[in-house]
Every structure is written in C-alpha cells, then in structure tokens.
C-alpha cells in the first residue's frame, strides 16, 4: 500500500504559516522603522510644563500634547482666538469657523515640523499684512511651538556637563489675543534625569528564562502558546498607550496604534492563530512563534528600550507600567526566539519508515507498547515523563521528510516575498550606491570650470569643497571715485571674471603665466565692506544691518593695516599660478578706482593627494570643517544666504563673509602631548572622531563620560563651545585655508552666513570666554564683507546697489 498522506487542510495550513513566517523574518529589518514616537519625539528626559491661561476664559484651553512635541489650542466659544508668532505677529486664528494660518508669518512654516526644517519663503514677512489660509473646519489647532521644547539633537551646555542632575533649561511664554484681551500662558522646559534601567533589564531576562524553561516541561506547547498570547496582548496594550496619547483624528490615532509600516496587521493576527494551533500541539508553529517573538522583541528593544532610563515617554500608560510592558515584550519575545528551535528539537515528528508509492511494504511485525509508539506517527519525546505524556495524548500526524522539505521551501518562498516587499516599499534614495572611487587625473583637475553667472556668486557654495589655493585682496576706493567710476570698475571685473573662470585669456601682458593651464576650478567672489557706504555716491544709510561692523573681542590683537576694507576679491583655484594671474589681472583693472589695502595667500591640500571627499587638516594637524552645513541640508540657504525680505535687493541671495587671520602658536602647541591636544579640540587627531566615540561624522555626545566620571569632551573643548546647540543654533559655512608669512603661520578663517549677529558673533563671544584653544591662537586680521547676489545674463556685480537699469 502507498504511504498515507497528511490531510490536505493541515498540509496547506502549515505551508501558509511557513510562508508567513518567512515573510515576517524577511521583513524584520523594515520593522525597525516601527518607531514608537509621537509628533517626532520618543522617550526623553526633557519635560515641558504649562501653566493655565491668564486670565482664564471658559471654553479656551491650551495644553501640551504628544510628550512636549506640540501645543494644542481648543476654542469652543463663539469668538476667535489669535495665536501670536515668534515676532509677535498674528500666526493662527482658531474659532467657530475653523483654523486659519497666516502665510505672511514665518511661524506658519517653522511650526510645520518638530525641528523647523521647512524652508521659509522669501515673502513671509511678519511685518506684512496677514494672508489668511483656512486649514481646518475644527475649532482645534495643534502645532510644533519651538518655544516649548529643545530643538537640537545635542544637549544644552549645563545638561551635558552634569546629565545626572535636574536642570531648568528655559522658561517660555505664549500669547493669545481674545476679544481685545491678551491671554498668556507661561511654562518651563526642564531636564529630568530618568530612573535606573536595572530592574527592567532583570524583568526582561527573567521573562526570557521562564519562556525558555517552559520548553522542558510536560506542558511545553500550552505554555509557549500562552507566552505568545501574552506577547501579543502586551504589545497591543503598549501600542494602545501610544495611540491614546496621540492627538489628532481617528486615522491618525489608528496609524499610531498599528505603526508606520503596519507590521502589526501581519504580526498580531498570525501570532494569535499560531498560539491557538501551538496549544493543539502543532510543534512546527514554534517557528512562527520564534519569528513573531524575535521581530517584536528586536523592534521594541531598538525603539522603546530608552523608556527604561528616561523620565518620560509618549504613552498614556503609567510610566512604570509602560516600562514593564517593554520589558515583557523584549523578554518574552527573546525567549520565544530561542524556544522555537528547542521545541522543534525536543518534539520533532519522525516517519515510521521510508515509504514510497512504488514499493510494497513488508508485513508489520507484532507490536508491543514500545514499538507501537515508534511505528505510529507519534512524536519522539525525550525523558520518561514526556514519553508517558505523549502516549496519553497523541500528536497530530507527522510531517515526514518530504513534508518537512516542502515546508522549508514554502518558508523560503515567504522569505523571498517578504524581502521583495521590503525592497519595493523602501525608498530608492536609501539604497546604497557602490561606485568605483577614482582619483582625478591632473588633466581633469585643470579642465574643471565653475560657472560664473547664477543665483549666487561662485566661491561660496560652489564648488562644494574649497580649492587648494587662495588669494584674498582688500581694496580702498581711490579719492574721487564716484558711482559711475565704481560701476565701470565692477562692470569691467564682471567681464574679466567670466572669461578667466572659463580659462580664456584677457589679452594682458601676463597671460603667458597660465599658458597651457585650464580654469582649474577658478572662482572669484566680490564683496563690499562697511566702509564703502558713504563713499562713491552710495549713502551711508544704504548699508544693510547685516553689515554692521564686527564688535571687538577680548584677547584679539588686530593689525589695523591688514584689516577691513571697502571692497574685497576672493580668488580661489586648484593651481597657484592660476590664482596669482587672476588676482593680479583684476587688481590691475581696478587701479584707476581702488588701491590694495592688504592681501593674504592661503593653501590647502592639493587634489589627488588625499581620498576624494576627505576633510582637510589645518597646521595643528586637526581635521577642520567636519560639521559644516551641506548644500543638501534643508536649512542650508537660510543659514548661508540672505533670504529675509527686509534685506536690500542687491543682498538677497548674497552672503556675509567674515575674514579672520588667526596665528597659531605652533611651538607651544607642539609641546603638548597628543592626548592633551585632543582634549583641547575635543576630537581625535588620527580619525577626527569626537572623544565621545565614533568616526569623524559621528555626532558628538556632549554628555558622555570617561571611566573616571569626567566629561569625555571637556567643558572648555573647542568643539563643545563652537557647536550650534550651545549657540542658539548659530551656524556658518567655513572655508579655512592655511597660511605662512615668515615666522608666522596659521589659519585664514573664512565664514559665510546670512547674518553675523546670528552666526559668527555669538559663537566668537562664547569662544573668547572659555575656549581651551585660546592659549594657542591669536586673532590678528579681521574684516567683514557683504557679497551681493549672483549675476544673471547681461548684468554685472553690484548692479542693484548702484541703482543701474538691469535691462
């Protein structure tokens, strides 16, 4: 007789679950994105408190929601409430006809996301008349008010210095207008250290050991089924806590409940089904329990374990219940990950004999109780008690080798489906790109040209990295130069720079200096100093506020003869001869109208001598420029270029350049041990990585401590004090060059920014007060220049400033 076949329904059920198990395991990497956050914030030690509105108004309620991520205003009265923005302008109206936002208010764009990464359009002017736009029919508005939460990913200075102690980070206030009355809400942002995670580690470990130990009992199937049921139930409870604290519509709350990638819709139903079948002694379902448990445990561990040591989390559950739910999911899920294979090994079904449909089977021998247990399709159990239990409670029909192979194949098919689904759902931009890296040949370097005309002047953000050679020349206008003469000079410079940047000769006597050379990435950037306003027919009142002369700083020793200036030329290229020729030619063209005040020559690493994209080093041997804003950052333009609509037209799209020649006291520096040099800067000299750990691009952890309990990055380390997090977000695009001048050597510091008052000045004030690097440097040259916007076809540099017709 042929071999009896396993029942079709049971066989297909096993195959289906195998496919699901494979898909779940293959989708595990995607599950990491199932982050339990609300409004962009997860577990945190920052706490936002809010007082009641003063004076109170029945029907108007302001509250902090989503773990400090947003404010919520509800207005059930018949009168509108107007929320004031960051410049005291009307930002939002909330009333019986819904919610309206003012598109003239910068807050409308800044409040759109947790970290204010939305670009504010040029026409958003808080002083302009409101432009109201309806966004909702409800009388409730929720927004990311950046007065109430910590904006940066690094810690405040005081917190970083002592993260184990509580701190008052800031006090804040939000004003509302209601029927001619001012309603004010005040609050505070505090740092509240979290508890010890040890009890929750122990709870997770205990849960895992209990689940694994259940495999070796006579009730293994029932206990593991119960563990799987508990796992799903607790995970549902945890997700419910997050959904309950999520403010918004039913779909928004449902999205928070099931997760961003909806993995829960796959895990929970099949986890329950697997638990039911596992309780009926379907041993193979241990692998499904393993997959569900492993995925939930890993996801919860990666995303939610911080609740164990942080003081608050986005959940409606009590804090300790929330922490316990995370520990149970991690522990039980981890235990099931181990228990699944153990269950299979202990209760693995076997076939009585290798039967085929083509071979007749011998007559069975007489059976006793022992041989009957082996010949029948019962599981082989380990241990006398387990064998007796199995004899009393038979297992369902065995799978057999062919069935087992088919099941594994089905599982593999499911893994392929899951992987394909994960790939299809992924963002192509996240896919790694493997391209051969090659060093450009000298011919490529010489032939590279940078476009002169465009929205911005070249040499600021293009090329993306600094060229290897620099000459900066500052000029004073000659006596008697009027507006027409200045316009003639700028028009002449414009034509000359356009030709030089493309490698074309000017027809001058020194053209042979660069015979055979290409443009070599030549850029020439032109700027105007504060002292130019009031000369050449330009009224002093036309000087923009961003060009206010820099204040004096403690400790600087400036050489007045080599500081400031009416105009500047910033000439950079990848060849010293190309830079020299361009700077000399432009200086010659300016001679009738301006004279050289001072000039500096700088150098960087030559192309091809280091790996492409490597950060340059200064003469102290430290990497310099790691944390520069990058052109692909959403806020790059607002940090580097002038975008405010109140700025004059000639400056919008331009940038402010701070120039500092900083002498390095290299003999003193070289006398320090390497470890002490690294402590002064806050970075390793070899890799450039922060002393808190990681590689060069790893974000510095200013709260990290050493084994001895001290700060890994010292309180007076340069990178700590210069970090935007400790300077109200101040940031600059730095392009440093080294220089040598006789016995003097150091850094030509170039910093581009939209406004020095929000960039260089606050950072420098902090540095001069406490920077450990001050003992080894001396500021000797200082200048500030406003670089006008780029030149379009037919125009010339500074044309708007001089009031000339562009047509």
């Amino acid at each position: 007789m042929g071999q009896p076949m396993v029942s079709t329904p049971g066989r297909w059920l096993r195959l289906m679950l195998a496919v699901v198990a494979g898909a779940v395991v293959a989708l595990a990497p995607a599950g990491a994105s199932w982050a339990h956050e609300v409004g962009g914030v997860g577990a945190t030690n920052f706490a936002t408190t809010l007082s009641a509105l003063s004076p109170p108004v029945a029907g108007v309620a302001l509250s902090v929601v989503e773990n400090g991520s947003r404010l919520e205003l509800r207005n059930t009265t018949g009168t509108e409430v107007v929320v004031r923005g960051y410049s005291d302008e009307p930002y939002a109206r909330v009333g019986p006809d819904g919610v309206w936002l003012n598109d003239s208010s910068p807050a409308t764009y800044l409040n759109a996301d947790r970290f204010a990464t939305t670009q504010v359009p040029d026409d958003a002017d808080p002083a302009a008349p409101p432009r109201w736009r309806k966004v909702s029919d409800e009388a409730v508005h929720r927004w990311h008010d950046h007065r109430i939460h910590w904006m940066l990913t690094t810690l405040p200075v005081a917190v970083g210095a002592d993260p184990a102690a509580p701190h008052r980070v800031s006090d804040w206030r939000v004003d509302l207008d209601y029927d001619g009355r001012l309603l004010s809400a005040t609050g505070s942002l505090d740092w509240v250290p979290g508890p010890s995670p040890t009890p929750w580690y122990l709870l997770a470990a205990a849960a895992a050991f209990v689940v694994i130990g259940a495999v070796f009992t006579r009730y293994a199937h029932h206990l593991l089924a119960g563990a799987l049921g508990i796992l799903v139930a607790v995970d549902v409870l945890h997700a419910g806590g997050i959904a309950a604290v999520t403010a918004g519509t039913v779909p928004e709350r449902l999205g928070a409940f099931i997760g961003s990638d909806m993995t829960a819709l796959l895990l929970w139903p099949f986890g329950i089904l697997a638990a039911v079948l596992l309780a009926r002694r379907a041993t193979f379902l241990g692998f499904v329990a393993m997959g569900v448990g492993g995925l939930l445990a890993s996801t919860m561990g990666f995303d939610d374990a911080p609740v164990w040591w942080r003081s608050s989390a986005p959940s409606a559950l009590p804090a300790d219940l929330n922490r316990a739910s995370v520990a149970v999911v991690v522990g039980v899920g981890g235990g099931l990950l181990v228990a699944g294979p153990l269950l299979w090994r202990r209760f693995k079904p076997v076939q009585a004999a290798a039967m085929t449909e083509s071979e007749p089977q011998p007559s069975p021998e007489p059976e006793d109780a022992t041989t009957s247990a082996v010949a029948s399709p019962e599981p082989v159990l380990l241990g006398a008690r387990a064998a007796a239990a199995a004899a009393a409670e038979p297992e369902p029909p065995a799978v057999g080798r062919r069935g087992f192979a088919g099941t594994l194949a089905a599982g593999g098919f499911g893994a392929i489906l899951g992987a394909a689904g994960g790939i299809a759902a992924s963002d192509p931009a996240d896919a790694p790109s493997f391209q051969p890296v090659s060093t450009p040949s000298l011919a490529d370097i010489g032939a590279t040209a940078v476009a002169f005309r465009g929205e911005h002047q070249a040499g600021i953000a293009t090329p993306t990295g600094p060229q290897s050679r620099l000459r900066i020349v500052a000029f004073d206008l000659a006596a008697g130069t009027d507006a027409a003469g200045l316009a003639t000079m700028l028009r002449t410079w414009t034509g000359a720079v356009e030709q030089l940047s493309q490698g074309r000769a000017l027809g001058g006597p020194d053209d042979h200096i660069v015979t055979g050379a290409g443009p070599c990435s030549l850029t020439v950037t032109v700027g105007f100093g504060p002292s130019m306003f009031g000369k050449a027919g330009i009224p002093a009142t036309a000087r923009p506020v961003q060009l206010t002369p820099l204040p004096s700083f403690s400790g600087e020793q400036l050489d007045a003869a080599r500081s400031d200036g009416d105009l500047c030329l910033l000439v950079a290229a990848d060849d010293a001869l190309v830079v020299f020729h361009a700077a000399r030619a432009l200086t010659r063209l300016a001679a009738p109208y301006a004279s050289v005040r001072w000039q500096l020559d700088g150098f960087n690493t030559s192309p091809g001598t280091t790996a492409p994209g490597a950060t340059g080093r200064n003469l102290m041997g430290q990497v310099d420029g790691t944390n520069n804003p990058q052109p692909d950052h959403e806020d790059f333009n607002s940090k580097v270029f002038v975008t405010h609509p109140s700025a004059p037209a000639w400056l919008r799209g331009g940038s402010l350049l701070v120039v500092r020649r900083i002498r390095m006291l290299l003999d003193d520096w070289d006398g320090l041990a390497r470890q002490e040099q690294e402590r002064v800067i806050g970075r390793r000299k070899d890799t450039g990585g922060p002393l808190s750990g990681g590689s060069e691009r790893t974000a510095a952890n200013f709260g990290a401590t050493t084994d001895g309990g001290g700060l890994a990055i010292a309180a007076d380390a340069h990178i700590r004090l210069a970090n935007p997090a400790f300077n109200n977000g101040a940031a600059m695009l730095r392009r440093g060059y080294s220089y040598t001048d006789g016995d003097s050597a150091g850094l030509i510091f170039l910093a581009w920014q939209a406004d020095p008052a929000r960039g260089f000045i606050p950072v420098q004030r902090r540095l001069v007060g406490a920077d450990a690097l001050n003992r080894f440097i001396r500021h000797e040259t200082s200048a500030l220049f406003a670089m006008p916007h780029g030149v379009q076809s037919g125009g010339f540099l500074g044309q708007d400033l001089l009031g000339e017709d562009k047509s």
Side-chain angles (χ1 to χ4, degrees), residues 465-470 520 572-576 579 602-607 737:
Q467 300 97 314
S468 63
R469 296 293 184 269
L470 166 80
C520 297
D574 283 326
D575 180 77
V579 169
F603 59 90
N604 269 324
T605 303
S606 297
Y737 285 82

Side-chain angles (χ1 to χ4, degrees), residues 633-659:
H633 292 177
E634 291 187 14
D635 57 354
F636 180 82
N637 280 349
S638 62
K639 289 180 177 178
V640 176
F641 296 108
V642 178
T643 59
H644 199 281
S646 65
W650 65 268
L651 187 55
R652 289 199 298 270
S655 186
L656 279 296
L657 171 66
V658 171
V659 180

